Amino acid sequence: QVQLVESGGGLVQAGGSLRLSCAASGSIFSFSGMGWYRQAPGKQRELVAGISRAGRTNYGDSVKGRFTISRDNTKNTVYLQMNSLKQEDTAVYYCNAVYWDTGDNLWGQGTQVTVSS
């Protein structure tokens, strides 16, 4: 069973940047796509960014132009570069992957991002 391990979260001031990493314990080619979701207290989990096996990317409206998702196939790692952070970006960020053969979802344990004023 492949595992996803997130890192890179923390406390940052508004306007600052963070880079999240999601390392898979196996090949990311097992997945049709990978992405980042976030969940703030009292809110539903929402899509932040996704990247398909073919490399196509998509973003939530609230992060377009500020966040960039990328991957390093040699390291089986997906990244989320977050720039111009806002207080409303504060949330637990989860890495997600979808198996290409079964469609099953795999989730990481989450990493906290806190943006202060």
Side-chain angles (χ1 to χ4, degrees), residues 31-33 96-106:
F31 309 122
S32 59
N96 168 265
V98 180
Y99 282 98
W100 70 268
D101 53 352
T102 64
D104 290 341
N105 276 277
L106 184 65

Side-chain angles (χ1 to χ4, degrees), residues 13-85:
Q13 285 191 324
S17 299
L18 280 176
R19 189 176 81 155
L20 305 183
S21 299
C22 172
S25 60
S27 173
I28 61 175
F29 286 108
S30 300
F31 309 122
S32 59
M34 297 183 71
W36 290 93
Y37 287 73
R38 67 186 182 188
Q39 188 166 20
K43 294 188 176 181
Q44 289 190 330
R45 191 172 295 190
E46 63 174 356
L47 174 69
V48 177
I51 185 166
S52 73
R53 195 174 181 182
R56 288 185 293 271
T57 59
N58 64 294
Y59 297 91
D61 288 341
S62 62
V63 307
K64 284 180 181 177
R66 300 188 297 123
F67 291 11
T68 303
I69 189 170
S70 63
R71 70 182 187 206
D72 185 335
N73 296 333
T74 63
K75 296 181 179 179
N76 293 315
T77 300
V78 172
Y79 303 97
L80 184 68
Q81 178 66 44
M82 305 186 294
N83 298 328
S84 303
L85 283 161

